[in-house]
PDB file of all heavy atoms in Angstrom:
ATOM      1  N   LEU V 984      38.096  39.409-166.322  1.00  0.00           N
ATOM      2  CA  LEU V 984      36.895  38.777-166.835  1.00  0.00           C
ATOM      3  C   LEU V 984      36.152  37.988-165.760  1.00  0.00           C
ATOM      4  O   LEU V 984      34.916  37.997-165.704  1.00  0.00           O
ATOM      5  CB  LEU V 984      37.274  37.833-167.991  1.00  0.00           C
ATOM      6  CG  LEU V 984      36.154  37.067-168.688  1.00  0.00           C
ATOM      7  CD1 LEU V 984      35.207  38.035-169.381  1.00  0.00           C
ATOM      8  CD2 LEU V 984      36.736  36.080-169.694  1.00  0.00           C
ATOM      9  N   VAL V 985      36.900  37.322-164.884  1.00  0.00           N
ATOM     10  CA  VAL V 985      36.298  36.432-163.895  1.00  0.00           C
ATOM     11  C   VAL V 985      35.768  37.184-162.676  1.00  0.00           C
ATOM     12  O   VAL V 985      34.709  36.846-162.136  1.00  0.00           O
ATOM     13  CB  VAL V 985      37.327  35.368-163.447  1.00  0.00           C
ATOM     14  CG1 VAL V 985      36.721  34.442-162.397  1.00  0.00           C
ATOM     15  CG2 VAL V 985      37.811  34.559-164.636  1.00  0.00           C
ATOM     16  N   GLU V 986      36.466  38.211-162.243  1.00  0.00           N
ATOM     17  CA  GLU V 986      36.109  38.879-160.991  1.00  0.00           C
ATOM     18  C   GLU V 986      34.681  39.413-160.964  1.00  0.00           C
ATOM     19  O   GLU V 986      33.983  39.248-159.942  1.00  0.00           O
ATOM     20  CB  GLU V 986      37.106  40.003-160.677  1.00  0.00           C
ATOM     21  CG  GLU V 986      36.821  40.670-159.342  1.00  0.00           C
ATOM     22  CD  GLU V 986      37.894  41.662-158.922  1.00  0.00           C
ATOM     23  OE1 GLU V 986      39.100  41.361-159.068  1.00  0.00           O
ATOM     24  OE2 GLU V 986      37.516  42.746-158.441  1.00  0.00           O
ATOM     25  N   PRO V 987      34.179  40.048-162.036  1.00  0.00           N
ATOM     26  CA  PRO V 987      32.794  40.528-161.961  1.00  0.00           C
ATOM     27  C   PRO V 987      31.781  39.405-161.760  1.00  0.00           C
ATOM     28  O   PRO V 987      30.756  39.607-161.088  1.00  0.00           O
ATOM     29  CB  PRO V 987      32.584  41.220-163.316  1.00  0.00           C
ATOM     30  CG  PRO V 987      33.963  41.589-163.772  1.00  0.00           C
ATOM     31  CD  PRO V 987      34.849  40.481-163.281  1.00  0.00           C
ATOM     32  N   ILE V 988      32.050  38.228-162.311  1.00  0.00           N
ATOM     33  CA  ILE V 988      31.150  37.083-162.141  1.00  0.00           C
ATOM     34  C   ILE V 988      31.135  36.651-160.678  1.00  0.00           C
ATOM     35  O   ILE V 988      30.071  36.422-160.080  1.00  0.00           O
ATOM     36  CB  ILE V 988      31.593  35.917-163.043  1.00  0.00           C
ATOM     37  CG1 ILE V 988      31.565  36.334-164.517  1.00  0.00           C
ATOM     38  CG2 ILE V 988      30.725  34.692-162.806  1.00  0.00           C
ATOM     39  CD1 ILE V 988      32.172  35.312-165.463  1.00  0.00           C
ATOM     40  N   VAL V 989      32.323  36.547-160.096  1.00  0.00           N
ATOM     41  CA  VAL V 989      32.439  36.123-158.701  1.00  0.00           C
ATOM     42  C   VAL V 989      31.870  37.186-157.776  1.00  0.00           C
ATOM     43  O   VAL V 989      31.161  36.880-156.803  1.00  0.00           O
ATOM     44  CB  VAL V 989      33.908  35.821-158.347  1.00  0.00           C
ATOM     45  CG1 VAL V 989      34.032  35.403-156.885  1.00  0.00           C
ATOM     46  CG2 VAL V 989      34.471  34.745-159.263  1.00  0.00           C
ATOM     47  N   ARG V 990      32.141  38.436-158.077  1.00  0.00           N
ATOM     48  CA  ARG V 990      31.644  39.533-157.240  1.00  0.00           C
ATOM     49  C   ARG V 990      30.106  39.534-157.216  1.00  0.00           C
ATOM     50  O   ARG V 990      29.488  39.715-156.162  1.00  0.00           O
ATOM     51  CB  ARG V 990      32.174  40.872-157.763  1.00  0.00           C
ATOM     52  CG  ARG V 990      31.857  42.067-156.862  1.00  0.00           C
ATOM     53  CD  ARG V 990      32.401  43.347-157.476  1.00  0.00           C
ATOM     54  NE  ARG V 990      33.847  43.341-157.523  1.00  0.00           N
ATOM     55  CZ  ARG V 990      34.639  43.700-156.520  1.00  0.00           C
ATOM     56  NH1 ARG V 990      34.099  44.100-155.374  1.00  0.00           N
ATOM     57  NH2 ARG V 990      35.955  43.692-156.664  1.00  0.00           N
ATOM     58  N   ALA V 991      29.495  39.306-158.378  1.00  0.00           N
ATOM     59  CA  ALA V 991      28.032  39.270-158.436  1.00  0.00           C
ATOM     60  C   ALA V 991      27.474  38.116-157.604  1.00  0.00           C
ATOM     61  O   ALA V 991      26.447  38.261-156.926  1.00  0.00           O
ATOM     62  CB  ALA V 991      27.575  39.137-159.890  1.00  0.00           C
ATOM     63  N   ALA V 992      28.154  36.979-157.635  1.00  0.00           N
ATOM     64  CA  ALA V 992      27.704  35.834-156.838  1.00  0.00           C
ATOM     65  C   ALA V 992      27.822  36.118-155.346  1.00  0.00           C
ATOM     66  O   ALA V 992      26.946  35.743-154.559  1.00  0.00           O
ATOM     67  CB  ALA V 992      28.522  34.602-157.210  1.00  0.00           C
ATOM     68  N   LEU V 993      28.901  36.776-154.956  1.00  0.00           N
ATOM     69  CA  LEU V 993      29.082  37.124-153.546  1.00  0.00           C
ATOM     70  C   LEU V 993      28.030  38.130-153.084  1.00  0.00           C
ATOM     71  O   LEU V 993      27.461  38.017-151.989  1.00  0.00           O
ATOM     72  CB  LEU V 993      30.484  37.682-153.313  1.00  0.00           C
ATOM     73  CG  LEU V 993      31.631  36.673-153.331  1.00  0.00           C
ATOM     74  CD1 LEU V 993      32.967  37.396-153.382  1.00  0.00           C
ATOM     75  CD2 LEU V 993      31.570  35.754-152.109  1.00  0.00           C
ATOM     76  N   LEU V 994      27.751  39.119-153.921  1.00  0.00           N
ATOM     77  CA  LEU V 994      26.745  40.117-153.568  1.00  0.00           C
ATOM     78  C   LEU V 994      25.373  39.483-153.421  1.00  0.00           C
ATOM     79  O   LEU V 994      24.586  39.846-152.535  1.00  0.00           O
ATOM     80  CB  LEU V 994      26.714  41.222-154.627  1.00  0.00           C
ATOM     81  CG  LEU V 994      27.920  42.166-154.644  1.00  0.00           C
ATOM     82  CD1 LEU V 994      27.866  43.083-155.864  1.00  0.00           C
ATOM     83  CD2 LEU V 994      27.979  42.988-153.367  1.00  0.00           C
ATOM     84  N   GLU V 995      25.086  38.510-154.281  1.00  0.00           N
ATOM     85  CA  GLU V 995      23.820  37.786-154.177  1.00  0.00           C
ATOM     86  C   GLU V 995      23.717  37.056-152.846  1.00  0.00           C
ATOM     87  O   GLU V 995      22.662  37.033-152.207  1.00  0.00           O
ATOM     88  CB  GLU V 995      23.729  36.789-155.337  1.00  0.00           C
ATOM     89  CG  GLU V 995      22.493  35.908-155.328  1.00  0.00           C
ATOM     90  CD  GLU V 995      22.512  34.898-156.467  1.00  0.00           C
ATOM     91  OE1 GLU V 995      23.449  34.066-156.515  1.00  0.00           O
ATOM     92  OE2 GLU V 995      21.596  34.943-157.300  1.00  0.00           O
ATOM     93  N   ASP V 996      24.833  36.448-152.414  1.00  0.00           N
ATOM     94  CA  ASP V 996      24.836  35.654-151.190  1.00  0.00           C
ATOM     95  C   ASP V 996      24.863  36.519-149.936  1.00  0.00           C
ATOM     96  O   ASP V 996      24.229  36.200-148.929  1.00  0.00           O
ATOM     97  CB  ASP V 996      26.040  34.708-151.204  1.00  0.00           C
ATOM     98  CG  ASP V 996      25.765  33.391-150.496  1.00  0.00           C
ATOM     99  OD1 ASP V 996      24.587  33.018-150.360  1.00  0.00           O
ATOM    100  OD2 ASP V 996      26.738  32.717-150.110  1.00  0.00           O
ATOM    101  N   LEU V 997      25.594  37.623-149.986  1.00  0.00           N
ATOM    102  CA  LEU V 997      25.748  38.472-148.803  1.00  0.00           C
ATOM    103  C   LEU V 997      24.519  39.338-148.535  1.00  0.00           C
ATOM    104  O   LEU V 997      24.277  39.757-147.391  1.00  0.00           O
ATOM    105  CB  LEU V 997      26.982  39.361-148.957  1.00  0.00           C
ATOM    106  CG  LEU V 997      28.323  38.626-148.838  1.00  0.00           C
ATOM    107  CD1 LEU V 997      29.461  39.502-149.327  1.00  0.00           C
ATOM    108  CD2 LEU V 997      28.556  38.196-147.399  1.00  0.00           C
ATOM    109  N   GLY V 998      23.749  39.626-149.587  1.00  0.00           N
ATOM    110  CA  GLY V 998      22.520  40.391-149.404  1.00  0.00           C
ATOM    111  C   GLY V 998      22.763  41.760-148.798  1.00  0.00           C
ATOM    112  O   GLY V 998      23.759  42.416-149.076  1.00  0.00           O
ATOM    113  N   ARG V 999      21.889  42.162-147.901  1.00  0.00           N
ATOM    114  CA  ARG V 999      21.963  43.507-147.330  1.00  0.00           C
ATOM    115  C   ARG V 999      22.758  43.567-146.037  1.00  0.00           C
ATOM    116  O   ARG V 999      23.278  44.623-145.670  1.00  0.00           O
ATOM    117  CB  ARG V 999      20.547  44.017-147.054  1.00  0.00           C
ATOM    118  CG  ARG V 999      19.692  44.239-148.296  1.00  0.00           C
ATOM    119  CD  ARG V 999      18.231  44.447-147.953  1.00  0.00           C
ATOM    120  NE  ARG V 999      17.668  43.264-147.286  1.00  0.00           N
ATOM    121  CZ  ARG V 999      16.433  43.207-146.817  1.00  0.00           C
ATOM    122  NH1 ARG V 999      15.628  44.269-146.912  1.00  0.00           N
ATOM    123  NH2 ARG V 999      15.983  42.110-146.228  1.00  0.00           N
ATOM    124  N   ALA V1000      22.872  42.435-145.343  1.00  0.00           N
ATOM    125  CA  ALA V1000      23.476  42.467-144.010  1.00  0.00           C
ATOM    126  C   ALA V1000      24.740  41.626-143.886  1.00  0.00           C
ATOM    127  O   ALA V1000      25.343  41.583-142.821  1.00  0.00           O
ATOM    128  CB  ALA V1000      22.451  41.998-142.982  1.00  0.00           C
ATOM    129  N   GLY V1001      25.148  40.948-144.952  1.00  0.00           N
ATOM    130  CA  GLY V1001      26.356  40.130-144.875  1.00  0.00           C
ATOM    131  C   GLY V1001      26.092  38.792-144.216  1.00  0.00           C
ATOM    132  O   GLY V1001      24.948  38.367-144.036  1.00  0.00           O
TER     133      GLY V1001
END
Side-chain angles (χ1 to χ4, degrees):
L984 180 64
V985 179
E986 183 173 317
I988 300 172
V989 179
R990 187 181 294 276
L993 286 168
L994 289 172
E995 177 183 61
D996 213 22
L997 288 166
R999 294 168 298 176

